[in-house]
Amino acid sequence: MDLESQQSLPHSPFTHPIQCIVKLGGAAITCKNELEMINHHILREVSQQLRHAMISPSHKPPGMDWSKRHGESEICCNPDEFRDDSIFHCTPFIVVHGAGSFGHFQASKSGVHKGQLDKPIVKGGFVATRISVTTLNLEIVRALAREGIPSIGMSPFSCGWFTKEKHISSGDLSSVAKAIDSGFTPVLHGDAVFDEIQGCSILSGDVIISHLAAYSKPKYVVFLTDVYGVYDRPPTEPDAILLKEIAVGEDGSWSVVNPKLQNSIELTVAAHDTTGGMETKISEAAMIAKLGIDVYIVKAATSHSLRALSGDLRSSIPDDWLGTVVRSSR
Amino acid sequence: MDLESQQSLPHSPFTHPIQCIVKLGGAAITCKNELEMINHHILREVSQQLRHAMISPSHKPPGMDWSKRHGESEICCNPDEFRDDSIFHCTPFIVVHGAGSFGHFQASKSGVHKGQLDKPIVKGGFVATRISVTTLNLEIVRALAREGIPSIGMSPFSCGWFTKEKHISSGDLSSVAKAIDSGFTPVLHGDAVFDEIQGCSILSGDVIISHLAAYSKPKYVVFLTDVYGVYDRPPTEPDAILLKEIAVGEDGSWSVVNPKLQNSIELTVAAHDTTGGMETKISEAAMIAKLGIDVYIVKAATSHSLRALSGDLRSSIPDDWLGTVVRSSR
């Protein structure tokens, strides 16, 4: 299903307006070159910024991860902290995260993204990939819950989503909408799913965001990454220029409007990234922008990401904001 | 939805015959009185017995949990081990587990089972309960995958199931059936879910099993518990008698046919069990037996559970088998 046809679909299950869909990029929240290692510092900062953006910044609500802490025998819950209703108003956000160093190795080694589920190695890789990505999902749900965000993990596989040539061909959003209606924050993730043609596939977090955006029409979308935004060349190169504004035409094509560039730009895709790298991200961002939804691509856990998450950039982009905004040229 | 109406429902999504639905009782696989503690020894034994029952006993397939092991930097996967197709034939089983010392404390403390999701403490408890039960689900999926069982975690909440007065009012099984069709072993669990009337509820593993059994019509159902079966009184009492056979009438009423008892029997419900104890279990077992499906209630990780899981009891129950069979009197 492409976004063109989704735009005209009347059957959105969302009854509450969604403020923001936020992507926690795998590269930002995990240690990219170390297998299955969460970047706890960044994840904690990101969770705090989300709490500030979603819940009254002056009050920290009590934590909702009551799991046993190391060395204790009781759950961490004091019912008295839950008496004040006022601190529980939570702006509707949907969180989607990538895999980073979770899942990618398992998927690459077995070729889950290429299908052929009847091969034993692919079947094993499918199981191993799902174990890895759901492990990460659980840790992210817990980090958000510790900040008082009522986070609920929802795996695309369990939601019954499947793909057809990497696009979502069945992605019922009624469970996600019901969670929003009940005041929860759904936390979805890139996942191994069934594919109508090739048997199985990897559904990337970026494709999930496009799907969610088309149906839920959020006010804005934020991609949190490990660099300041989109650059004209690999950001590790000394002369790399941050692209501050990308305009998207009605046909989905995009061009850099700020800064003015002399040469056409070059984009890189990390070798172990089975879901495509920056090029996929810009394409997906362009598809969202085409719907009239501004997309901010920004470095996680910085003052710039906090401004993006809080919706401060919607009227105008301050000169001192570092990041990339992708929006419709209309 | 009661089982009577399910019996006449033609819309089962299952196309493959299901051999067995197995319940891993929370009391068997966790340390019941210690918060969030898995009984790793029992879980490993149970996983090995399931592998024997599901996959050719003479060949141990390679593990499918490739997560990073302590002190290692690489994933545990040798693609060469996946060359031999013959060891990957896996008899269709569905696994459902209870919560034991995961989830129950969180649910009890907040009253999630009593609804009122608009109360902050209940919303917090809903989040905390889901974190706890999905933590256990992930560990069980991993334990099964390490034995080479292609296990896939599926949360009832994520599958979009919800309840009405503790019964499943919406429980689409197409995702479970699709996982079975693709050769996977779905692993479901007792979960916090939305309830049509009271807002939220706890959906117990036993109720899930009844629902699955009505639609998938397995050859038999096995409940793995921490005692040898159902007794006429609390099994800790010295004179407790193991009920070896319970017959279920067409109206769902049940009676003990072996051994012959003089007095009516007494059943206990553990105080912290928010989903009901042995009485719920027998009622649910009776509902399944009424469909013509034999139910074995047996102590986990014993020679008796291996015989039950392997289907050895289907023709006749040997005298030396310890456990309770619940079956239709027809």
Side-chain angles (χ1 to χ4, degrees):
Chain A
M1 197 184 297
D2 64 18
L3 289 177
E4 207 61 59
S5 59
Q6 288 175 347
Q7 268 179 286
S8 58
L9 274 177
H11 305 297
S12 168
F14 290 91
T15 55
H16 281 67
I18 305 297
Q19 178 79 4
C20 173
I21 300 175
V22 55
K23 164 81 184 287
L24 313 188
I29 52 167
T30 72
C31 304
K32 206 167 180 174
N33 296 314
E34 192 161 352
L35 181 69
E36 298 190 337
M37 180 69 79
I38 290 172
N39 189 327
H40 289 285
H41 169 70
I42 297 289
L43 179 57
R44 191 165 54 241
E45 290 276 326
V46 165
S47 302
Q48 285 169 357
Q49 291 197 349
L50 278 166
R51 192 239 303 158
H52 275 272
M54 295 168 69
I55 305 172
S56 166
S58 54
H59 295 91
K60 183 180 182 305
M64 295 182 176
D65 175 16
W66 302 346
S67 304
K68 187 165 67 173
R69 301 292 188 269
H70 188 72
E72 293 182 23
S73 61
E74 297 280 321
I75 60 171
C76 314
C77 161
N78 177 4
D80 290 340
E81 294 180 329
F82 286 85
R83 285 217 184 113
D84 178 8
D85 279 27
S86 65
I87 56 173
F88 290 94
H89 177 75
C90 193
T91 309
F93 271 54
I94 302 174
V95 176
V96 181
H97 63 82
S101 61
F102 288 75
H104 275 311
F105 292 94
Q106 287 85 348
S108 303
K109 194 122 182 176
S110 59
V112 169
H113 53 295
K114 292 185 281 186
Q116 296 191 282
L117 200 47
D118 50 329
K119 280 187 176 173
I121 181 71
V122 177
K123 187 183 269 189
F126 194 92
V127 169
T129 302
R130 294 216 71 250
I131 287 172
S132 189
V133 294
T134 53
T135 299
L136 177 62
N137 181 250
L138 185 56
E139 290 306 315
I140 291 173
V141 167
R142 292 184 61 185
L144 296 171
R146 280 195 290 270
E147 290 296 319
I149 296 168
S151 52
I152 292 283
M154 305 186 80
S155 288
F157 177 87
S158 301
C159 291
W161 294 15
F162 47 90
T163 54
K164 189 172 174 180
E165 290 170 342
K166 299 232 170 203
H167 291 278
I168 294 172
S169 59
S170 171
D172 180 22
L173 291 168
S174 54
S175 298
V176 177
K178 174 79 178 125
I180 289 280
D181 287 349
S182 303
F184 292 105
T185 305
V187 184
L188 292 87
H189 60 90
D191 204 358
V193 296
F194 294 135
D195 183 278
E196 282 188 69
I197 293 174
Q198 63 180 27
C200 63
S201 179
I202 297 292
L203 174 60
S204 79
D206 292 339
V207 173
I208 293 169
I209 291 213
S210 289
H211 181 69
L212 287 168
Y215 281 88
S216 71
K217 298 279 168 67
K219 291 181 185 156
Y220 52 97
V221 168
V222 179
F223 285 87
L224 300 176
T225 70
D226 61 340
V227 289
Y228 279 99
V230 180
Y231 288 79
D232 66 333
R233 71 201 77 183
T236 46
E237 291 188 16
D239 299 331
I241 295 166
L242 179 65
L243 311 179
K244 296 196 82 167
E245 186 174 347
I246 293 173
V248 179
E250 298 208 16
D251 60 352
S253 68
W254 52 271
S255 57
V256 179
V257 293
N258 179 17
K260 307 282 176 214
L261 295 178
Q262 307 242 304
N263 303 314
S264 69
I265 68 170
E266 175 196 326
L267 296 161
T268 49
V269 177
H272 83 274
D273 187 342
T274 50
T275 62
M278 201 45 92
E279 200 155 13
T280 312
K281 196 177 298 302
I282 296 182
S283 300
E284 296 292 340
M287 296 291 254
I288 297 164
K290 225 178 73 171
L291 302 170
I293 301 162
D294 288 359
V295 179
Y296 310 110
I297 303 173
V298 60
K299 184 164 181 166
T302 60
S303 61
H304 311 288
S305 60
L306 181 57
R307 287 156 96 175
L309 291 169
S310 304
D312 295 349
L313 309 175
R314 294 183 62 215
S315 46
S316 67
I317 308 279
D319 285 341
D320 65 348
W321 183 72
L322 287 184
T324 301
V325 56
V326 184
R327 59 181 157 199
S328 168
S329 57
R330 274 179 291 184
Chain B
M1 197 183 298
D2 65 15
L3 288 176
E4 205 61 58
S5 59
Q6 288 175 344
Q7 267 179 287
S8 56
L9 275 178
H11 305 296
S12 168
F14 290 92
T15 54
H16 280 69
I18 305 297
Q19 178 79 2
C20 173
I21 299 174
V22 56
K23 164 84 185 282
L24 313 188
I29 52 168
T30 71
C31 304
K32 206 170 182 174
N33 297 315
E34 192 161 353
L35 180 68
E36 298 192 335
M37 181 70 79
I38 290 171
N39 190 327
H40 289 286
H41 168 71
I42 296 290
L43 179 57
R44 191 167 49 242
E45 289 277 326
V46 165
S47 302
Q48 285 170 356
Q49 290 196 352
L50 277 167
R51 191 239 305 162
H52 275 271
M54 295 169 68
I55 305 173
S56 167
S58 55
H59 294 94
K60 182 176 182 308
M64 294 182 180
D65 175 16
W66 302 347
S67 305
K68 187 166 67 174
R69 299 292 189 270
H70 188 71
E72 290 182 25
S73 61
E74 296 280 319
I75 59 173
C76 314
C77 162
N78 177 3
D80 290 342
E81 293 180 331
F82 286 84
R83 284 220 184 112
D84 179 6
D85 278 27
S86 65
I87 56 174
F88 290 94
H89 178 76
C90 191
T91 309
F93 271 54
I94 302 173
V95 175
V96 181
H97 63 83
S101 62
F102 288 75
H104 275 312
F105 292 93
Q106 286 86 346
S108 304
K109 194 121 184 177
S110 58
V112 169
H113 52 297
K114 291 185 283 189
Q116 296 192 279
L117 197 49
D118 49 331
K119 279 189 178 175
I121 181 72
V122 177
K123 189 183 270 188
F126 194 94
V127 169
T129 302
R130 294 216 70 248
I131 287 173
S132 190
V133 295
T134 53
T135 299
L136 176 61
N137 181 251
L138 185 56
E139 288 307 315
I140 290 173
V141 166
R142 292 184 60 185
L144 295 171
R146 280 194 290 270
E147 289 297 320
I149 296 169
S151 52
I152 294 283
M154 304 186 81
S155 288
F157 177 87
S158 300
C159 292
W161 294 16
F162 47 91
T163 54
K164 188 173 176 178
E165 291 170 338
K166 300 229 171 205
H167 291 279
I168 294 171
S169 59
S170 170
D172 180 24
L173 290 168
S174 55
S175 297
V176 177
K178 173 76 178 130
I180 290 280
D181 287 349
S182 303
F184 292 104
T185 304
V187 184
L188 291 86
H189 59 89
D191 203 359
V193 296
F194 294 134
D195 184 278
E196 282 187 72
I197 292 174
Q198 63 178 29
C200 64
S201 180
I202 297 292
L203 174 61
S204 79
D206 293 342
V207 173
I208 294 169
I209 292 212
S210 288
H211 181 69
L212 286 168
Y215 281 88
S216 72
K217 299 279 169 65
K219 292 181 182 156
Y220 52 97
V221 169
V222 179
F223 284 87
L224 300 176
T225 71
D226 60 339
V227 289
Y228 279 100
V230 181
Y231 289 79
D232 66 333
R233 71 201 77 184
T236 46
E237 290 186 19
D239 299 331
I241 294 166
L242 179 66
L243 310 179
K244 298 197 79 168
E245 186 173 348
I246 293 172
V248 178
E250 297 209 16
D251 60 352
S253 67
W254 51 270
S255 57
V256 180
V257 295
N258 179 18
K260 307 282 176 212
L261 295 178
Q262 307 240 304
N263 303 312
S264 69
I265 67 167
E266 175 198 328
L267 296 163
T268 51
V269 177
H272 84 273
D273 187 342
T274 50
T275 60
M278 202 45 96
E279 200 154 11
T280 312
K281 196 177 297 303
I282 295 181
S283 299
E284 296 290 342
M287 296 289 257
I288 298 165
K290 228 178 72 172
L291 302 170
I293 301 162
D294 288 359
V295 179
Y296 310 110
I297 302 172
V298 60
K299 184 166 183 165
T302 61
S303 61
H304 311 289
S305 60
L306 181 58
R307 285 156 96 175
L309 290 169
S310 304
D312 295 350
L313 310 174
R314 294 183 62 213
S315 46
S316 66
I317 308 279
D319 287 340
D320 64 350
W321 183 73
L322 288 183
T324 302
V325 56
V326 184
R327 57 182 157 196
S328 168
S329 57
R330 271 177 294 185

